[in-house]
Amino acid sequence: NASTVVVDNETSAKEAINYLKNNNLGRVTFFPLNIIKDKEFKLTNNLNKEEIISPIICTGLPVDKFMSDLRNEVEKHISKFGVEKIIVNGKTYIIDIKKNKVFVEGAFVIKTKNKANTLTIDIGAGTVNIIQWENQTPIKFDTKNKSFYNLYEKISKHLKDTGRGDVSIEYIEKNLANDTFIINQKEVDVKDTHRIIEMHIRNLASQINSYFDISQVEEVEIIGGGAIPTFKYWEKIYNGAKLIENSQFANSEIFDLVASSLDEGDKNEQ
């Protein structure tokens, strides 16, 4: 898996997770060896029956971090993980990371090979990445940190202030734009939160319009986990905007392509 990393223990995993979180560096799944080393560990992916596994790791970064020195720092950090051992279905495997690559989040034009002047808006909980592309090259970019976290907090506060109870940020994220929430084991009407969502999107779009050269944009693509529940508001603002299919998995698909291209490059050199 291109976003899975094996580390020696839980402490290392927590340190790595905190490092990514504190720097808004995206998400990676970590497997601590002290938990899985001495027991059977069943993976959902099929593995070749070889003793040595040499994966290619591709990690995503928000565009502002990707364009900074942090890109090299993350690659160096992962390269230091070294060789580790795990047991899968009773068989011992040696994990030796073949290559690791850091890539920008929201680069859907790379998958589609779209060379038009395109604005991609990648909506995650932690960040919203906005990139204006020309010939698949970023010509302008911005990252809005905690934008949708702030939206979830607004909705949570509104529901509490209107006497409907406490609702977690995680629940709001999973049920954003629904007409009803389950609060205190009761179905509660929350259609009035739709106005909060729309105002948040309009404010975000206003910031985008003031920074990017919108007059040159030919296509607008909305991706990310927050794209599906908010797309109806985006298409009101950007006529002809596209909701990318399986948008919540768009970045994973891009990272898989990058990892595969690195693997193909190695094969061609052999």
Side-chain angles (χ1 to χ4, degrees):
N1 189 306
S3 56
T4 300
V5 176
V6 177
V7 293
D8 54 353
N9 54 50
E10 289 176 280
T11 300
S12 296
K14 290 177 181 177
E15 289 176 353
I17 290 170
N18 287 334
Y19 179 81
L20 295 175
K21 184 177 180 181
N22 291 338
N23 291 281
N24 292 315
L25 298 180
R27 299 180 180 180
V28 175
T29 300
F30 294 93
F31 289 139
L33 277 174
N34 67 315
I35 294 177
I36 65 176
K37 184 180 293 182
D38 297 321
K39 59 180 68 176
E40 287 192 356
F41 184 75
K42 296 183 179 180
L43 298 177
T44 56
N45 293 328
N46 293 322
L47 296 175
N48 293 328
K49 295 181 178 180
E50 300 174 353
E51 293 186 357
I52 298 178
I53 300 173
S54 300
I56 294 175
I57 307 294
C58 184
T59 306
L61 284 183
V63 62
D64 62 332
K65 307 299 182 185
F66 179 79
M67 295 297 187
S68 73
D69 293 337
L70 280 171
R71 173 174 42 170
N72 291 329
E73 290 180 23
V74 173
E75 287 185 351
K76 289 178 181 178
H77 185 75
I78 294 175
S79 67
K80 293 178 182 178
F81 287 163
V83 179
E84 301 289 357
K85 180 178 72 172
I86 63 172
I87 298 175
V88 182
N89 296 330
K91 184 174 179 178
T92 300
Y93 291 87
I94 306 299
I95 306 297
D96 184 10
I97 297 176
K98 186 177 181 180
K99 280 187 177 180
N100 84 86
K101 179 75 172 177
V102 171
F103 204 68
V104 64
E105 295 177 350
F108 195 74
V109 296
I110 302 300
K111 179 182 178 181
T112 59
K113 300 180 180 179
N114 184 358
K115 295 185 178 182
N117 190 305
T118 302
L119 187 73
T120 56
I121 303 174
D122 178 15
I123 306 168
T127 61
V128 176
N129 285 292
I130 311 104
I131 307 176
Q132 187 169 2
W133 305 82
E134 183 75 57
N135 292 322
Q136 300 183 46
T137 301
I139 57 175
K140 210 163 190 181
F141 59 87
D142 192 18
T143 298
K144 303 297 183 185
N145 291 307
K146 298 184 178 180
S147 176
F148 267 55
Y149 273 134
N150 293 336
L151 171 61
Y152 305 148
E153 288 175 350
K154 287 179 190 176
I155 293 173
S156 178
K157 183 177 185 302
H158 172 73
L159 293 174
K160 186 174 182 178
D161 290 347
T162 52
R164 279 171 279 187
D166 293 322
V167 184
S168 71
I169 299 300
E170 292 76 17
Y171 182 88
I172 294 172
E173 180 181 3
K174 292 178 181 178
N175 296 277
L176 186 67
N178 284 359
D179 289 340
T180 60
F181 284 177
I182 302 299
I183 306 175
N184 297 325
Q185 299 181 334
K186 294 181 180 179
E187 188 174 21
V188 178
D189 188 313
V190 295
K191 287 193 289 290
D192 57 333
T193 63
H194 294 185
R195 180 62 177 168
I196 298 174
I197 299 169
E198 183 170 12
M199 291 303 296
H200 186 87
I201 298 302
R202 288 192 175 279
N203 179 59
L204 185 54
S206 177
Q207 295 176 47
I208 293 171
N209 293 344
S210 66
Y211 181 72
F212 291 87
D213 190 0
I214 298 299
S215 64
Q216 299 299 313
V217 172
E218 300 172 66
E219 298 180 13
V220 176
E221 297 178 339
I222 314 295
I223 66 175
I228 296 173
T230 62
F231 181 69
K232 62 182 179 182
Y233 306 114
W234 290 108
E235 64 179 345
K236 287 181 182 179
I237 301 167
Y238 299 114
N239 185 37
K242 298 178 183 177
L243 174 63
I244 300 304
E245 187 177 358
N246 297 320
S247 60
Q248 66 270 45
F249 304 116
N251 280 314
S252 295
E253 293 175 2
I254 296 163
F255 300 153
D256 283 341
L257 282 175
V258 173
S260 297
S261 68
L262 292 174
D263 192 30
E264 287 297 321
D266 285 347
K267 290 177 181 177
N268 293 333
E269 291 176 4
Q270 293 174 359

